Each structure stands twice: as C-alpha cells, then as structure tokens.
Amino acid sequence: MVRLVAFQPTPFIRGICCTVAARVKSRPLLLRGGFYHCALAFCPVHRKAPENSRIYKVKPILKSTKLSNVCYDIRGPVMERAKQMEEEGQRIIKLNIGNLAPFGFEAPEEIQQDVILNLPNSSGYSDSKGMFAARKAIMHYCQSKKIMGVALEDIYIGNGASELIVMAMQGLLNSGDEVLIPTPDYPLWTAAVTLAGGTPRHYVCDEANDWNPDLADMRSKITKNTRAIVVINPNNPTGALYSDNILREIIQIAREHELIIFADEIYDKMLYDGATHTSIASMADDVLFVTLNGLSKNYRACGYRSGWMVVSGEKKHAQDYISGLTILASMRLCSNVPGQFAIQTALGGYQSINDLVAPGGRLCKQRDLAYQLLTEIPGVSCVKPKAALYLFPRFDPKIYPIKNDQQFILELLETEKVLVVQGTGFNWIHPDHIRVVFLPNADDLTEAIGRIARFLENYRKHHGTEISR
Ligand code: PLP
C-alpha cells in the first residue's frame, strides 16, 4: 500500500498541479495515467479524497495469481534492457527472436498481393473457425502430409499458432492436470499450461542423442493426472528433427496411457541437408492428435498472425473437448481476416522456402556459418540443427562456470551489444546454454559471434579457465 501524506500547498504549487492535471487530461492514456493521477493526488482542487483526510491511500493493482508462474523470457527483462540501450542510441545485434522480416526475409510477393487485394473484403468477421477457402487449403495440406480423415470442421484458424496453443490448453485442463512438455521447450507451451491451471512436467531431450526426446524419461514423468504430450518437431530451440521411429514410440506411449498428442510443427518446411518431415498425426488413427502450424515461419509472415490447429485421429471420444474448443473459438469471434486471405495462396504453388533452405540458400548458408563460428570457440559445442532457425550451443561448465545464465547474457549485452536468450528461458535445467537465432546476414552473424567469442575469452581469463591450445 502506498501512502501519500496530504499537505497544504502554496498557491504556486496549486497552480502547477491544476495546469498539469488539465494538460495531461488530453494526452494518451499511458501518459495521462501517471501524471494526471499524481496531479490529482497532490492538488486540492482536483483531489477526490475527503476534505479533512490527511492520509491518501492508493491500492496497488496486482496481476492475477494465475500469472504467478507464467514467464516468457524470449521477450523478458534482458530484451527490455536492450530496448533501453537502443533508445540511448546504441546498436545491438539481435540473435534473440525468430522474427524473419526485420532480417530481410519478407513474405513472398504473391501472398502480400493477395492480402492487399482482399483487404476491402476483410472488414467483416469470418466464421469463427476461419474462412472456407483457407480451411479447405489447410485440409488439402493435411492430405499432402498424410494426416487422414481431416474435415473442414476439424480445422481452427487462429491469430498465429500462439493463440491456438493457449486456447487448446484452456479448453483441456483442470487444476492438477499434467502435460508432458520437452525441456528445452518453446516456452509458450509451459506458460499456456500454467495459465490454464495445469502443471507442466518436463521430459528431457537428450543433447548426446541429437536432442531427441529421452523416451524413458518421458515415461517416468507420467502420472494418473497426465493428459497430454507436447511434441515440438522440428524443434525450437534445438533445431532437432525427430525420426519416424521416435515418433512411433511417442505414439505408443500416448496409446498406452490414453494421452492426447499436441504436435507443434510450425517449422515443418525449414529443413536442411535434404531432410524430410513426418507429421506425427499421419502415423496413427487411434490416438487423438492436435497439430499446430501456420504462416509465421515457413512463409516469413510472423506479423500476419495466421496459424491453424487441426484435430485428427481418435476424435470419437473427444467430442466434449472438441465442443470446448469450438466455444473458445466462437468467444473470440474469429481470427484476423486479412491474414486468413494469405493462407490459400501460401499453401499452393511455388514454395520459395525450399530455395532458402537448399545448399547455397540464405538460411542454409547462415546456419552453416553460425555453427562453424560458434563451435570454433574453446569450450563451446553444438548439435548442428537439422531444421528451423536456431542453434542451442553448450558452454562447458568446467570452462564457463555460469551460475546465472540470465545475468551472463545481460553482461554479454552490456559489454558486447549482442542480444541472445539464456537456455533457462526455454525451461532448460542447467545454466549452460544459450539460444542463437541465425537470421542476421553473414556480416552481422560474423560480427556478433566474434563479439561473443571475445566476451567468452575475457570470461575464461577472469575465471582462470583459459585452455592452452
Ligand atoms: N511454436 C513454436 C515452436 C515457435 O517457435 C513459435 C514462434 O516462434 C510459435 C509456435 C508461435 O507461432 P505463431 O507466430 O504462429 O504464433
């Protein structure tokens, strides 16, 4: 509780208070909130407190307890500090966010044109699950990925996969329900489970085994309260791509314990070295699958907020949950309509993403460069990503005895002006990894990783762990 002691202002102070209050009244809300209420608090003319009271109390406004353990460190306090530094005029090289357009990866021209062309038809709400043509295109995409038995009503379009992840968890979980989520994870999953009142239980992905899920660990985390397994494939932050065998075994676990599989496949076209992606939902029809995908990454259209969720497999016993999803979709009326107009064009015809990930393509070249430069640093190792946009390098704890990886990346930011995300921001267990986004062009990547190398060299000198080579 904040206490402001009332006082008797001089006519001069009273004049200032009244002027400030009157002026800021017409300013934007954010500005107004602080100044106007300050002016009101101190000015006897504007103050609403009883005439005779000497104590003016302001009750702090708290966020809900539902948010107590919810965090999303990709846009956390270190990024806030980076913003502040930029406002002070410093140039930061950003290796922190998988947002493609600022690095020159624009949505294909044809998609942009279709959105522009259809903008005049976008003023009304659409069907709450999404427009017919867009859902039809998604249905055909499911067929091409061999996800069978998907009808239009099984498809929900949302404001990015993010909205649908939150919706899917809100619709499913009661307090005490548990969901198996990989560690490291894309942290929205952990946050969405927590926000929905569930408990995230993290199963380990094994770095020594190309970051594949440790199936024994997954099994060991199952309890009578477990409802679902989240599979992020291709994976953010590790860049792993799971084999069909691993996927089959995950299905077997789900089958044995009657669990739903949530498959986040948003990077399914960002594959290197000729790799192919299998949708886990294509491998069985006796388990319930909810598959998420969208335009953000494969089509470089993060800002269009256009994603989808497909329910498939054993739907018969899930009618109640499905009706819950439909209620939630209706409650937000519909997703962004201009963004929906991009879907049909994106999914059909020429797939320019293939050029970017092919040998010699910009994404492939940048992955190779970042991997090479990072792994040349003493004490840094990394599993080469097979997919997506990220590297998740490890700092040997004997050489880099990091206690707090958020503090570590803050120091990197302050000294070298390079922004990354700490491994624990992805619910990774040890403070010994960072995530590096390889979207900046080759010159910026070289410069940024050079600065990381210099920072680490100073770190080794400071800790007396320099390796003689
Ligand atoms: N899932 C994963 C694994 C991601 O990495 C991201 C974004 O980075 C999303 C979902 C969110 O995608 P969207 O932009 O469609 O909300």
Side-chain angles (χ1 to χ4, degrees):
M1 189 144 328
V2 176
R3 287 171 170 230
L4 298 174
V5 179
F7 66 106
Q8 284 304 314
T10 63
F12 175 69
I13 292 180
R14 206 161 31 211
I16 291 180
C17 288
C18 293
T19 314
V20 171
R23 289 234 173 131
V24 296
K25 214 169 170 181
S26 58
R27 295 293 155 91
L29 208 60
L30 197 69
L31 204 70
R32 217 161 77 194
F35 288 113
Y36 186 52
H37 290 293
C38 262
L40 283 184
F42 283 99
C43 175
V45 175
H46 286 88
R47 194 173 60 199
K48 298 282 191 302
E51 232 14 90
N52 299 335
S53 99
R54 305 240 341 132
I55 303 292
Y56 185 75
K57 293 176 182 172
V58 181
K59 219 163 142 190
I61 298 169
L62 305 177
K63 65 178 184 292
S64 82
T65 51
K66 294 194 294 290
L67 283 166
S68 299
N69 295 311
V70 175
C71 55
Y72 188 78
D73 276 349
I74 298 177
R75 291 179 185 245
V78 182
M79 179 161 149
E80 285 305 313
R81 175 67 191 126
K83 261 202 243 167
Q84 215 176 37
M85 290 167 70
E86 279 184 323
E87 279 159 20
E88 289 161 7
Q90 307 190 48
R91 183 179 175 253
I92 312 288
I93 307 185
K94 294 187 189 134
L95 310 179
N96 66 317
I97 272 189
N99 186 17
L100 290 100
F103 298 99
F105 295 97
E106 296 288 343
E109 179 78 22
E110 197 189 347
I111 300 179
Q112 295 186 33
Q113 286 304 333
D114 267 24
V115 173
I116 293 167
L117 201 71
N118 281 294
L119 201 56
N121 310 322
S122 302
S123 310
Y125 296 126
S126 71
D127 182 289
S128 53
K129 285 184 173 180
M131 284 166 18
F132 173 84
R135 285 199 288 157
K136 194 79 177 175
I138 295 165
M139 191 176 122
H140 289 156
Y141 184 60
C142 291
Q143 288 167 7
S144 76
K145 295 216 65 175
K146 302 194 173 61
I147 306 176
M148 302 319 284
V150 174
L152 277 190
E153 75 256 22
D154 300 321
I155 298 169
Y156 300 74
I157 298 178
N159 295 304
S162 306
E163 181 190 39
L164 299 164
I165 290 172
V166 173
M167 199 187 275
M169 295 300 108
Q170 293 289 353
L172 180 71
L173 300 175
N174 291 311
S175 161
D177 286 347
E178 295 173 10
V179 178
L180 298 176
I181 300 177
T183 167
D185 71 344
Y186 175 59
L188 177 62
W189 279 102
T190 298
V193 167
T194 310
L195 182 64
T199 305
R201 296 271 285 157
H202 292 106
Y203 64 85
V204 173
C205 293
D206 182 4
E207 188 167 18
N209 183 22
D210 282 348
W211 288 117
N212 276 297
D214 177 337
L215 299 171
D217 190 64
M218 187 185 278
R219 279 185 184 279
S220 77
K221 302 278 164 67
I222 295 174
T223 71
K224 62 178 186 347
N225 297 324
T226 310
R227 303 291 310 278
I229 307 173
V230 173
V231 179
I232 304 173
N233 179 44
N235 191 271
N236 174 7
T238 64
L241 180 69
Y242 303 156
S243 69
D244 287 4
N245 273 343
I246 291 274
L247 298 178
R248 234 174 257 120
E249 294 199 45
I250 295 173
I251 292 174
Q252 183 54 26
I253 294 172
R255 187 179 282 134
E256 285 169 26
H257 297 273
E258 295 185 42
L259 306 176
I260 306 171
I261 293 180
F262 288 95
D264 182 340
E265 302 185 344
I266 195 118
Y267 299 98
D268 70 339
K269 293 188 173 200
M270 288 195 160
L271 311 169
Y272 306 101
D273 310 324
T276 53
H277 176 264
T278 303
S279 273
I280 190 168
S282 70
M283 301 178 88
D285 57 11
D286 58 341
V287 167
L288 184 70
F289 295 95
V290 178
T291 303
L292 294 118
N293 209 324
L295 300 188
S296 288
K297 313 293 174 169
N298 295 334
Y299 300 94
R300 288 86 77 201
C302 298
Y304 286 25
R305 309 312 297 128
S306 201
W308 56 87
M309 171 168 83
V310 176
V311 183
S312 67
E314 175 42 82
K315 291 179 273 188
K316 264 199 322 285
H317 295 98
Q319 288 311 311
D320 201 50
Y321 174 46
I322 291 169
S323 75
L325 292 176
T326 305
I327 292 171
L328 288 170
S330 307
M331 279 166 56
R332 51 88 221 230
L333 301 172
C334 70
S335 79
N336 164 36
V337 175
Q340 293 188 50
F341 275 111
I343 294 175
Q344 187 181 17
T345 312
L347 292 181
Y350 189 69
Q351 299 292 298
S352 50
I353 182 67
N354 293 338
D355 300 336
L356 292 170
V357 296
R362 192 178 151 196
L363 279 173
C364 185
K365 280 204 296 206
Q366 289 176 193
R367 174 202 64 155
D368 291 345
L369 176 68
Y371 172 77
Q372 187 202 327
L373 294 175
L374 278 166
T375 52
E376 278 171 7
I377 303 172
V380 178
S381 58
C382 188
V383 176
K384 194 169 187 181
K386 295 191 176 75
L389 304 170
Y390 314 99
L391 295 132
F392 200 57
R394 174 178 187 264
F395 301 106
D396 182 345
K398 287 197 207 80
I399 298 166
Y400 304 103
I402 303 162
K403 294 276 176 291
N404 176 338
D405 59 353
Q406 179 168 306
Q407 184 58 30
F408 177 78
I409 62 145
L410 182 61
E411 282 161 22
L412 171 66
L413 173 69
E414 299 277 2
T415 49
E416 295 292 351
K417 323 254 178 292
V418 174
L419 180 61
V420 295
V421 181
Q422 73 278 16
T424 54
F426 302 92
N427 295 297
W428 180 239
I429 322 142
H430 309 292
D432 58 356
H433 284 72
I434 61 169
R435 186 188 73 169
V436 172
V437 175
F438 55 79
L439 285 174
N441 63 44
D443 287 348
D444 279 350
L445 271 180
T446 308
E447 173 64 27
I449 299 175
R451 291 187 201 176
I452 294 175
R454 184 168 60 198
F455 177 77
L456 293 175
E457 187 183 341
N458 288 333
Y459 190 98
R460 293 193 302 274
K461 282 187 184 143
H462 183 74
H463 288 84
T465 54
E466 189 62 283
I467 311 161
S468 48
R469 289 198 280 177

